[in-house]
């Protein structure tokens, strides 16, 4: 009987180790690094495509992340990160009153992303939730945006926040 108990204990230990390995692989974050930017995003999100190399020499770069979050309206949520060369003019952001008066449930704010100042615009309606963060890096604008159905807002906002918290711009 003692031998049977050892075999059962060995099987239980093997099963626990396999479950731990599967969880370690499926839970956590992915890291995106290209050119001048690096950030982490949840493993539940997938990288759709990349355009450009996110360097100061690139005219335009973009990565799109998607996640299928169950919702009645649409299962897919999007996070788009773009880097574009600044033109010689200046970016004219709309004033707070213009945004608030033209969009229901909208917000405008500012944030610090690393050593850079950023402007955030958000709009939350019955069909779609959207937030845009614009970072002026000196020679480029880095634009981070999410678009999702309202039912997927919490999961999308968590992924977006992780990207903003781990974003490094060199």
């Amino acid at each position: 009987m003692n031998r049977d108990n050892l075999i059962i204990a060995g099987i239980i230990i093997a099963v626990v180790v396999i479950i731990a390995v599967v969880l370690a692989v499926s839970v956590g974050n992915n890291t995106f690094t290209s050119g001048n930017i690096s950030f982490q995003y949840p493993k539940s999100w997938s990288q759709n495509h990349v355009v450009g190399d996110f360097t100061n020499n690139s005219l335009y770069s973009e990565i799109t992340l998607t996640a299928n979050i169950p919702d009645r309206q649409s299962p897919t949520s999007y996070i788009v990160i773009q880097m574009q060369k600044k033109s010689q003019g200046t970016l004219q952001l709309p004033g707070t009153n213009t945004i608030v008066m033209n969009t229901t449930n909208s917000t405008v704010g500012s944030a610090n992303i690393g050593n850079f100042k950023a402007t955030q615009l958000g709009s939350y309606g019955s069909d779609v939730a959207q937030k845009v963060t614009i970072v002026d890096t000196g020679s480029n604008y880095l634009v981070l945006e999410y678009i999702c159905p309202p039912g997927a807002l919490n999961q999308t906002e968590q992924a977006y926040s992780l990207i903003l918290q781990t974003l490094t711009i060199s």
Side-chain angles (χ1 to χ4, degrees):
M1 280 207 67
N2 205 5
R3 183 176 177 187
D4 289 340
N5 288 341
L6 288 175
I7 292 173
I8 291 173
I11 291 172
I12 291 173
I13 290 171
V15 169
V16 169
V17 168
I18 290 171
I19 290 172
V21 168
V22 169
L23 285 175
V25 170
S26 64
V27 176
N29 298 324
N30 287 326
T31 300
F32 176 83
T33 302
S34 180
N36 297 341
I37 71 164
S38 176
F39 59 84
Q40 292 181 12
Y41 61 95
K43 281 202 183 245
S44 58
W45 287 73
S46 61
Q47 182 177 313
N48 260 6
H49 73 280
V50 177
V51 175
D53 59 5
F54 290 94
T55 64
N56 288 336
N57 298 328
S58 182
L59 184 63
Y60 178 81
S61 301
E62 175 184 326
I63 179 175
T64 301
L65 305 172
T66 60
N68 289 326
I69 301 168
D71 183 72
R72 284 179 273 124
Q73 297 169 336
S74 168
T76 307
S77 295
Y78 301 91
I79 297 177
V80 180
I81 296 128
Q82 302 173 340
M83 186 171 171
Q84 55 200 32
K85 195 93 140 145
K86 282 175 70 174
S87 63
Q88 294 299 319
T90 58
L91 178 65
Q92 297 296 320
L93 295 174
T96 303
N97 289 339
T98 304
I99 295 169
V100 173
M101 299 303 282
N102 290 331
T103 309
T104 58
N105 298 325
S106 62
T107 60
V108 179
S110 59
N112 290 323
I113 309 294
N115 295 329
F116 303 100
K117 293 249 184 227
T119 301
Q120 289 188 322
L121 311 169
S123 176
Y124 309 95
S126 59
D127 296 331
V128 67
Q130 179 179 13
K131 184 184 273 185
V132 178
T133 302
I134 303 168
V135 182
D136 185 346
T137 66
S139 59
N140 295 293
Y141 288 117
L142 185 63
V143 180
L144 299 93
E145 175 179 23
Y146 73 66
I147 304 162
C148 68
L153 180 60
N154 287 339
Q155 295 93 328
T156 305
E157 183 72 37
Q158 288 172 357
Y160 190 76
S161 293
L162 175 64
I163 291 169
L164 289 174
Q165 289 169 2
T166 60
L167 179 67
T168 57
I169 306 166
S170 56

